[in-house]
Amino acid sequence: MNDLVRQHTALSESDLEWLHLLVSEWQLLSDLSFADLVLWVPTLDGTRYVSVAQMRPNTGPTSYQDDMVGHLVPRGRRPLLDAALDEGRIVREGDPEWREEVPVRVESIPVRREGRVLGVIARNTNLLTVRTPSRLELTYLQSASDLAQMIAAGSFPFPGQQVDMDASPRAGDGLIRLDADGIVQYASPNALSAYHRLGLASDLVGHHLGELTAQLAPSRGPVDEAIAKLASGYAPRETEVEGSGGVIQLRAIPLKPKGTRIGSLVLLRDVTELRRRERELITKDATIREIHHRVKNNLQTVAALLRLQARRMDSDQGREALNEAVRRVGSIAIVHETLSQNLDERVEFDEIADRVLAMVAEISPGKVNCRRTGRFGILDAEVATPLSMVLTEVLQNALEHAFAPGEQGSVEVAALRGGTREESRLLITVRDDGRGLPVGFDAQRTGNLGLQIVRTLVEGELGGSFDMVPAPDRGTKVVLDIPVGAEK
């Protein structure tokens, strides 16, 4: 719609925002009218109309099989559009049109904002299935007529009340029509069922909806007054009411077809099961986070015990082996600590990589500068956990073997995320400027326990590749190529 309006019309950005506000609301008008809606806006030169939006009803058959958005119609071809635009009134005159052997009643509703008519809504009703209307259908049509008059007068939609069409109740979910005093004149079967679930034992018609809703809500005090006022329909508001048996979502729409409120529409939806499932998910998420938190605490306890044991070791080799185990356990604990703070099983790995760098840098025998470049991005937990261990082993190996005690140097971890959206890959390069690899070294066959762990995790668990080669100038370069999921 933005492109069409800016390309073909003279409407301002504030006018365009008004049209967006209207389009966010007009599913209600379409459903209440049992009709298709097409929004026509005059072009910049005033000789044509361009259709910028279209809506089909959920409550009846469509009048248009094709998409009308983007169509241009010369002025004069559709007299009802001309009359509504020029005279600023709803135009219903004329005989039904025949489209593919289907009779269609066409009406035109001017869209007014601040005294100016911005465009015209063509309301097209398929008459093929017309029958004697029920009380529900009569209420729908009367409410649609009131809303149409408000659109023509510029009092609907309500400024600052843009509606989420997916989350807000619709006419078919449940509808209640109130008079000016807030007394229920009509309640659809779905609306009545929703109130029965809240605990109502009688009919709704004849009751003051605000007072009745406040009585069904379990709380007392100022909340009741707010619910009573909202459910009475005095202002456009949306809320939820929870009773002993369920939860309903309410949306009030004051009806002012001639400037004075004659009543209100209250749309409502039973969201009991939806809220129950949301609570279950929240409980499940909290449980998972608590598990990660406890795993992290247990790993830290294991690390502390290993550290104590290392201090009691007389053998330098045994002490160093236990300290390596402490760092391995610590890298896993960092991942679980991060997962315990997230709502899903995905982590921002850059923070984990930085913490691993800081942890491993403590063992440096010299004055070695450790830094990270590039971005790892968001990774799944099943990738983050083994990758943190791999990164720990590679960095630990570089700091232990590349530099002599007191020697200065640097270690750089470079991350590059690439590939397609479906098959994203992570290329990690760990490079030092130390003494380099010994002659005849083969990373695939030789190496200590740390390199064996790296090979096993990278090739077996992560499904990637690992190589360790001399750096071009000086030192050693470790290259990891790992498939990772798409970053959402």
Side-chain angles (χ1 to χ4, degrees):
M1 186 167 72
N2 288 348
D3 293 339
L4 289 171
V5 169
R6 289 166 182 160
Q7 179 182 354
H8 294 285
T9 77
L11 297 182
S12 65
E13 290 298 319
S14 57
D15 292 334
L16 179 57
E17 285 300 317
W18 183 262
L19 296 184
H20 275 291
L21 193 61
L22 173 65
V23 169
S24 74
E25 293 272 20
W26 72 342
Q27 178 72 66
L28 174 61
L29 178 63
S30 178
D31 290 344
L32 293 176
S33 303
F34 308 98
D36 290 74
L37 305 178
V38 179
L39 177 58
W40 297 93
V41 180
T43 57
L44 184 61
D45 57 9
T47 62
R48 295 180 296 176
Y49 298 97
V50 58
S51 59
V52 298
Q54 179 179 359
M55 179 57 67
R56 292 184 172 90
N58 294 318
T59 52
T62 183
S63 301
Y64 286 109
Q65 298 300 325
D66 300 326
D67 188 2
M68 296 296 297
V69 175
H71 283 213
L72 290 165
V73 174
R75 184 177 172 87
R77 180 175 295 180
R78 300 193 178 184
L80 296 185
L81 294 182
D82 298 338
L85 183 68
D86 297 338
E87 301 173 22
R89 65 180 179 88
I90 299 176
V91 182
R92 297 189 175 94
E93 299 86 357
D95 297 327
E97 297 180 2
W98 286 84
R99 300 175 188 163
E100 299 180 357
E101 300 183 355
V102 175
V104 176
R105 183 175 65 243
V106 181
E107 304 167 84
S108 295
I109 305 168
V111 177
R112 192 183 303 273
R113 175 180 180 263
E114 297 179 352
R116 296 180 298 112
V117 178
L118 306 182
V120 179
I121 295 176
R123 181 164 55 179
N124 304 269
T125 306
N126 187 325
L127 299 178
L128 196 61
T129 58
V130 169
R131 61 186 186 279
T132 303
S134 64
R135 178 78 186 279
L136 171 66
E137 291 168 333
L138 288 173
T139 304
Y140 271 32
L141 292 172
Q142 180 58 52
S143 302
S145 177
D146 294 334
L147 287 178
Q149 292 182 57
M150 292 170 65
I151 292 173
S155 57
F156 187 83
F158 304 110
Q161 292 289 323
Q162 186 157 358
V163 174
D164 183 350
M165 294 175 62
D166 294 328
S168 185
R170 299 189 179 188
D173 296 326
L175 180 142
I176 297 174
R177 175 91 185 208
L178 308 178
D179 64 12
D181 297 322
I183 305 300
V184 178
Q185 295 179 313
Y186 175 80
S188 70
N190 285 345
L192 187 59
S193 296
Y195 265 83
H196 283 168
R197 191 160 189 176
L198 280 184
L200 178 68
S202 61
D203 196 359
L204 276 169
V205 176
H207 289 84
H208 189 281
L209 186 65
E211 296 175 357
L212 183 63
T213 304
Q215 292 172 6
L216 294 173
S219 58
R220 295 292 179 263
V223 175
D224 284 356
E225 297 178 7
I227 291 176
K229 187 173 182 180
L230 184 145
S232 299
Y234 292 110
R237 294 288 187 272
E238 192 169 334
T239 191
E240 285 189 4
V241 177
E242 183 170 358
S244 58
V247 184
I248 61 173
Q249 185 181 11
L250 294 174
R251 184 190 174 205
I253 303 173
L255 297 176
K256 304 177 181 179
K258 297 182 180 179
T260 303
R261 193 175 70 85
I262 62 169
S264 305
L265 276 183
V266 177
L267 305 179
L268 64 146
R269 178 170 58 181
D270 186 344
V271 292
T272 305
E273 291 304 313
L274 180 62
R275 296 297 175 258
R276 181 184 64 81
R277 291 172 185 171
E278 287 178 351
R279 292 188 182 107
E280 288 178 353
L281 288 175
I282 291 172
T283 302
K284 179 181 177 181
D285 289 339
T287 302
I288 292 174
R289 290 199 299 272
E290 178 62 22
I291 289 172
H292 284 302
H293 180 70
R294 294 189 180 188
V295 170
K296 183 263 297 184
N297 288 344
N298 291 338
L299 289 172
Q300 288 181 338
T301 300
V302 172
L305 293 174
L306 291 173
R307 197 176 293 111
L308 287 173
Q309 188 64 38
R311 292 173 183 171
R312 296 174 176 269
M313 292 288 293
D314 296 329
S315 169
D316 293 339
Q317 187 176 3
R319 187 184 305 109
E320 183 55 34
L322 288 176
N323 286 331
E324 288 181 0
V326 168
R327 288 186 285 272
R328 289 166 185 149
V329 172
S331 66
I332 302 174
I334 291 174
V335 177
H336 282 282
E337 181 179 5
T338 305
L339 288 170
S340 69
Q341 300 169 0
N342 291 348
L343 294 177
D344 55 18
E345 292 291 292
R346 296 170 64 82
V347 295
E348 176 63 63
F349 197 79
D350 294 331
E351 178 185 352
I352 294 175
D354 291 339
R355 294 180 63 179
V356 169
L357 270 170
M359 177 182 69
V360 177
E362 295 177 358
I363 68 166
S364 173
K367 300 178 180 180
V368 180
N369 177 35
C370 297
R371 67 179 184 275
R372 172 181 62 86
T373 60
R375 183 172 176 270
F376 288 86
I378 299 175
L379 300 176
D380 292 330
E382 56 264 27
V383 175
T385 301
L387 183 57
S388 67
M389 285 194 65
V390 168
L391 194 58
T392 300
E393 296 298 335
V394 172
L395 289 170
Q396 189 170 275
N397 187 75
L399 292 173
E400 283 185 356
H401 301 290
F403 305 100
E407 183 180 3
Q408 292 185 349
S410 64
V411 175
E412 179 184 15
V413 178
L416 178 63
R417 191 85 174 252
T420 64
R421 186 174 182 85
E422 292 77 15
E423 291 189 21
S424 180
R425 300 192 72 85
L426 184 60
L427 183 65
I428 306 168
T429 304
V430 181
R431 180 172 176 175
D432 66 70
D433 56 0
R435 66 186 70 173
L437 296 173
V439 178
F441 181 84
D442 185 354
Q444 302 302 324
R445 296 184 179 181
T446 61
N448 53 23
L449 175 62
L451 291 182
Q452 294 176 20
I453 292 174
V454 170
R455 283 197 298 270
T456 301
L457 291 177
V458 172
E459 297 173 359
E461 190 163 344
L462 295 174
S465 61
F466 157 74
D467 198 10
M468 178 181 287
V469 296
D473 299 328
R474 180 187 176 190
T476 305
K477 181 172 70 173
V478 176
V479 180
L480 306 170
D481 188 358
I482 301 170
V484 293
E487 186 171 2
K488 299 178 182 178

